[in-house]
Amino acid sequence: MVLCPVIGKLLHKRVVLASASPRRQEILSNAGLRFEVVPSRFKEKLDKASFATPYEYAMETAKQKALEVATRMHQKDLRTPDVVIGADTIVTVGGLILEKPVDKQDAYRMLSRLSGKEHSVFTGVAIVHCSSNDRQLHTRVSEFYEETTVKFSELSEELLWEYIHSGEPMDKAGGYGIQALGGMLVESVHGDFLNVVGFPLNHFCKQLVELYYPPRPEDLRQPVQHDSIPAVDTFEDLSDVEGGGSEPAQRETGSRDEKAEVGAAGQATAEAECHRTRATLPPFPTRLLELLDGFKLSKALLTACKLKVFDWLKREAPQKAPDIASKVDASACGTEKLLDVCAAMGLLEKTQQGYSNTETANLYLASDSEYSLHGFMLQNNDVIWNLFTYLEFAIREGRNQHHRVLGKKVEDLFQDAYYRSPETQLRFMQAMHGVAKLTARQVATAFDLSRFSSACDVGGCTGALARELAREYPRLQVTVFDLPDVVELAVHFQPAGPQAAQIHFAAGDFFRDPLPSAELYVLCRILHNWSDDKVHKLLSKVAESCKPGAGLLLVETLLDEEKREAQGGLIQSLNMLVQTEGRQRSRGEYQCLLELHGFHQVQVVHLEGVLDAMLATRVAP
Ligand SMILES: Cc1cn([C@H]2C[C@H](O)[C@@H](COP(=O)(O)OP(=O)(O)OP(=O)(O)O)O2)c(=O)[nH]c1=O
């Protein structure tokens, strides 16, 4: 097929990429396409067995991703997009479809399957043209797939694990990224490289040519000679508003000769226009502008939490903006704007009857929900937000900014800043409790801890993790060790239940006082608060309290060694800088620290979200 300049055909349309994949965004914006990114919420769980071939599965998933976005944008009364692009990449080997690994073990299983063998990478793509008539959404779908074969070298166990620990496999089909470190694993590639990376650009352009360049009469008469552009009748009733063939191909309406003239002239004009536009216009910086708006969205979310909007809507829904405004003691016009933004962010549903909470809001944003993050939101709104306004100073000075926010010297981070009043302490504890409850189950089940009969959760705050440990291991006795003020308030967070008898609180300062004795010590999101000196001090105290064979469970967000990949971890690094005396560390850094203090046989498990858990065993000094 002859390729024509075709990306320009989409320049005046509202194009939406229904994908969160940064690779797809990069490939398409490098090609000069201007688009918005609206990641699809379609859950990739179609029944694979019901598809005759893997590529049909990929195409159907791509189509469902795009249709979900088109429908959502239309329903939300946002302007209906003209074109929505969806894609899905899968790897197939020996009849098995591999998608993104769910954890490191899964990545290991995938990569060992691919080791030394050839496999196929399929990307299914759906181009959905949308129009809206009488408030009804109409869609026309055009889909295709591309296959590339990739051969891996034999991979040693060491290389496999080193690669898995880099973090790269986790968000990629088949558990590798050919465009980065994963390139090392690849012996040969047959076919379109970009298809492996997530988007078959060349085939996409060919598809657009089919859709947007009506076949000329001579092509129709001599199809064989020209490796013809096939006639497409899928889009026969889309209207040609811009002329010159800039809408998808039309069914012939006039005589053949007329159409030939219009087609050829229109094509020349469109190509010239497309060249001109490409030369003068750089790609639209959609992602950049989204990043810029990020802080405004965060503040809208935090403000809605602070005003307890989600609490009122959990009690009664739907409600109109003026009713909520009067309950939260705010202006009707301001409240309406805030509610609309919350609806656009997917936190509220908006209908003719008014606003209601989405499931996310009910689960996490209402203050009385079991897994409420309301306290964490308030901590972000009332403390962390203020600290981040001094980010520039934090970067220049390389230290936290409590002194600027509070207007006084902060010598003891916890006593002088977080726990400076009962109110600030309670807010901090509520925040920690919410986050700990959300992650405690994963932490408690990351490893088999059944060999331990006693544990000490150092800095365990409200005991949320202790509770999950006790639930998971009924013969485990857990001591939560924290500052006296914390222990005093912690009882308010402990619901009655069968685990209560297994949990004890002990008051003390982990830098100054002896640690309660235990077979397993837990340091969950503690070390990142402290400087290397203090980390050494704490680890040596833990090591001294341990008998050989004792365990240390460490939970942190691990950075990759190059500090490039884990965006969540890198943001945490900035967070630690503005808030604490500590920093995020990589797996290698923690491993060195642990080994230096006599903890070996380090195992690591990546948990859902941003946390990683490490289990190490104390060896005889
Ligand atoms: C094989 C391979 C896949 N990948 C990526 C491309 C895709 O982003 C991902 C496959 O997962 P997909 O489910 O296709 O896409 P996604 O989850 O990243 O994004 P969305 O569903 O929102 O569109 O794997 C690479 O980056 N490099 C590779 O070498």
Side-chain angles (χ1 to χ4, degrees):
M1 164 189 287
V2 182
L3 262 186
C4 310
V6 76
I7 293 287
K9 301 277 187 194
L10 296 177
L11 278 182
H12 303 290
K13 294 184 186 298
R14 184 171 190 220
V15 179
V16 169
L17 176 62
S19 172
S21 164
R23 280 76 54 174
R24 292 193 182 118
Q25 293 167 26
E26 197 180 339
I27 291 170
L28 284 171
S29 56
N30 283 347
L33 190 71
R34 287 165 52 179
F35 56 90
E36 292 159 46
V37 175
V38 179
S40 180
R41 295 185 193 156
F42 175 73
K43 300 260 177 304
E44 297 174 35
K45 55 175 186 211
L46 295 173
D47 178 14
K48 298 190 182 73
S50 65
F51 293 89
T53 57
Y55 59 79
E56 283 170 82
Y57 168 77
M59 285 198 297
E60 184 61 27
T61 307
K63 183 168 98 183
Q64 294 304 334
K65 286 182 185 181
L67 287 176
E68 186 279 321
V69 167
T71 314
R72 180 154 41 98
M73 292 185 79
H74 177 75
Q75 278 170 355
K76 285 216 176 290
D77 248 343
L78 304 170
R79 196 160 66 82
T80 308
D82 299 312
V83 178
V84 180
I85 303 165
D88 190 61
T89 302
I90 54 170
V91 165
T92 65
V93 62
L96 255 186
I97 294 182
L98 309 181
E99 294 178 283
K100 288 166 287 189
V102 291
D103 56 25
K104 288 188 173 173
Q105 286 301 337
D106 200 23
Y108 175 78
R109 277 192 291 276
M110 288 185 180
L111 290 166
S112 20
R113 244 195 203 112
L114 301 178
S115 172
K117 287 204 220 87
E118 194 168 80
H119 63 267
S120 289
V121 181
F122 290 98
T123 299
V125 176
I127 307 171
V128 177
H129 282 85
C130 309
S131 57
S132 155
N133 216 337
D134 292 338
R135 313 200 92 220
Q136 289 283 316
L137 174 69
H138 299 276
T139 56
R140 301 273 188 288
V141 182
S142 161
E143 28 181 359
F144 68 90
Y145 74 93
E146 183 70 34
E147 176 178 6
T148 305
T149 46
V150 177
K151 168 129 200 289
F152 267 26
S153 293
E154 294 275 358
L155 312 175
S156 70
E157 287 287 295
E158 203 185 349
L159 177 64
L160 267 181
W161 279 112
E162 194 178 291
Y163 181 53
I164 291 168
H165 291 316
S166 74
E168 188 175 284
M170 298 320 297
D171 62 342
K172 302 188 179 72
Y176 72 97
I178 197 169
Q179 68 277 24
L181 284 180
M184 279 191 299
L185 321 179
V186 172
E187 215 163 83
S188 64
V189 179
H190 185 72
D192 182 354
F193 180 85
L194 291 182
N195 182 48
V196 185
V197 184
F199 200 81
L201 184 61
N202 178 267
H203 198 153
F204 175 70
C205 291
K206 285 180 182 158
Q207 193 76 11
L208 291 182
V209 169
E210 284 194 5
L211 296 175
Y212 284 92
Y213 284 96
R216 290 169 300 173
E218 57 267 35
D219 297 330
L220 293 173
R221 269 182 240 122
Q222 304 159 2
V224 185
Q225 283 175 351
H226 290 275
D227 183 22
S228 72
I229 301 168
V232 171
D233 58 7
T234 327
F235 295 95
E236 68 264 26
D237 54 1
L238 285 177
S239 62
D240 186 355
V241 283
E242 289 165 14
S246 53
E247 281 295 315
Q250 308 283 301
R251 189 181 282 279
E252 202 170 301
T253 50
S255 73
R256 281 205 160 169
D257 289 348
E258 273 168 18
K259 185 152 190 277
E261 253 173 51
V262 172
Q267 188 167 322
T269 326
E271 280 175 29
E273 179 205 329
C274 165
H275 283 310
R276 227 182 5 257
T277 326
R278 285 287 303 276
T280 50
L281 264 186
F284 192 76
T286 310
R287 170 90 180 120
L288 191 65
L289 297 178
E290 278 171 5
L291 288 175
L292 173 69
D293 269 345
F295 81 96
K296 298 169 199 162
L297 294 176
S298 298
K299 192 63 181 172
L301 162 68
L302 299 179
T303 303
C305 285
K306 178 98 181 176
L307 294 175
K308 296 207 165 182
V309 164
F310 305 105
D311 284 28
W312 286 108
L313 286 172
K314 192 177 172 201
R315 253 170 256 171
E316 189 193 331
Q319 290 190 60
K320 303 242 182 211
D323 300 328
I324 301 172
S326 69
K327 285 173 184 143
V328 303
D329 196 18
S331 71
C333 69
T335 305
E336 186 173 3
K337 289 187 172 69
L338 181 66
L339 296 175
D340 283 343
V341 170
C342 289
M345 287 195 286
L347 305 174
L348 296 178
E349 300 282 357
K350 183 184 180 186
T351 61
Q352 298 266 312
Q353 286 70 42
Y355 301 87
S356 320
N357 278 351
T358 56
E359 205 187 328
T360 306
N362 272 336
L363 269 175
Y364 304 113
L365 301 177
S367 62
D368 61 354
S369 303
E370 187 179 357
Y371 292 98
S372 176
L373 289 173
H374 187 258
F376 189 48
M377 297 289 160
L378 293 194
Q379 179 73 6
N380 273 273
N381 189 61
D382 297 347
V383 179
I384 303 174
W385 181 271
N386 297 334
L387 290 166
F388 262 86
T389 61
Y390 293 106
L391 182 62
E392 182 187 334
F393 289 94
I395 305 272
R396 287 187 194 283
E397 297 163 7
R399 54 175 297 203
N400 71 55
Q401 295 296 309
H402 290 286
H403 58 290
R404 271 181 223 284
V405 173
L406 300 175
K408 63 176 193 180
K409 225 172 164 181
V410 170
E411 268 156 15
D412 183 315
L413 186 61
F414 280 80
Q415 298 293 11
D416 298 342
Y418 294 120
Y419 300 162
R420 67 183 187 282
S421 72
E423 191 201 343
T424 60
Q425 182 188 331
L426 189 64
R427 186 178 51 209
F428 181 81
M429 288 177 68
Q430 276 164 343
M432 293 305 107
H433 188 69
V435 175
K437 274 199 83 169
L438 204 64
T439 51
R441 178 128 204 93
Q442 289 188 58
V443 173
T445 54
F447 302 101
D448 178 5
L449 305 173
S450 55
R451 67 179 184 276
F452 304 111
S453 62
S454 58
C456 172
D457 187 1
V458 182
C461 201
T462 63
L465 175 56
R467 204 174 169 75
E468 274 311 315
L469 285 168
R471 195 202 307 269
E472 188 62 25
Y473 303 101
R475 68 175 201 99
L476 188 71
Q477 293 293 319
V478 193
T479 306
V480 179
F481 186 68
D482 216 314
L483 293 169
D485 288 346
V486 176
V487 171
E488 205 180 307
L489 286 186
V491 284
H492 301 299
F493 292 85
Q494 282 297 309
Q499 286 79 38
Q502 288 169 259
I503 302 169
H504 318 276
F505 283 84
D509 180 330
F510 55 60
F511 286 122
R512 280 197 279 266
D513 301 316
L515 300 178
S517 76
E519 291 175 8
L520 172 72
Y521 284 88
V522 181
L523 286 168
C524 183
R525 302 170 72 237
I526 297 295
L527 297 186
H528 67 184
N529 290 325
W530 305 107
S531 64
D532 288 354
D533 280 355
K534 286 195 175 163
V535 166
H536 281 299
K537 193 169 170 188
L538 184 51
L539 284 179
S540 71
K541 280 192 73 175
V542 175
E544 277 165 26
S545 314
C546 281
K547 295 203 178 82
L552 172 55
L553 177 61
L554 194 67
V555 182
E556 292 289 347
T557 297
L558 298 184
L559 298 176
D560 64 294
E561 302 303 326
E562 303 287 314
K563 300 190 175 50
R564 271 199 307 213
E565 279 282 324
Q567 196 189 344
L570 297 175
I571 273 292
Q572 271 297 94
S573 283
L574 276 187
N575 194 21
M576 290 300 114
L577 175 71
V578 296
Q579 283 206 64
T580 71
E581 298 174 10
R583 64 191 180 90
Q584 295 303 115
R585 296 175 177 87
S586 69
R587 176 205 155 110
E589 287 175 299
Y590 275 118
Q591 183 144 0
C592 282
L593 282 167
L594 290 172
E595 288 177 359
L596 209 70
H597 291 279
F599 291 96
H600 292 264
Q601 298 158 24
V602 182
Q603 297 166 262
V604 185
V605 170
H606 179 67
L607 309 177
E608 204 185 333
V610 291
L611 287 182
D612 300 86
M614 303 176 91
L615 181 66
T617 306
R618 175 83 167 109
V619 294

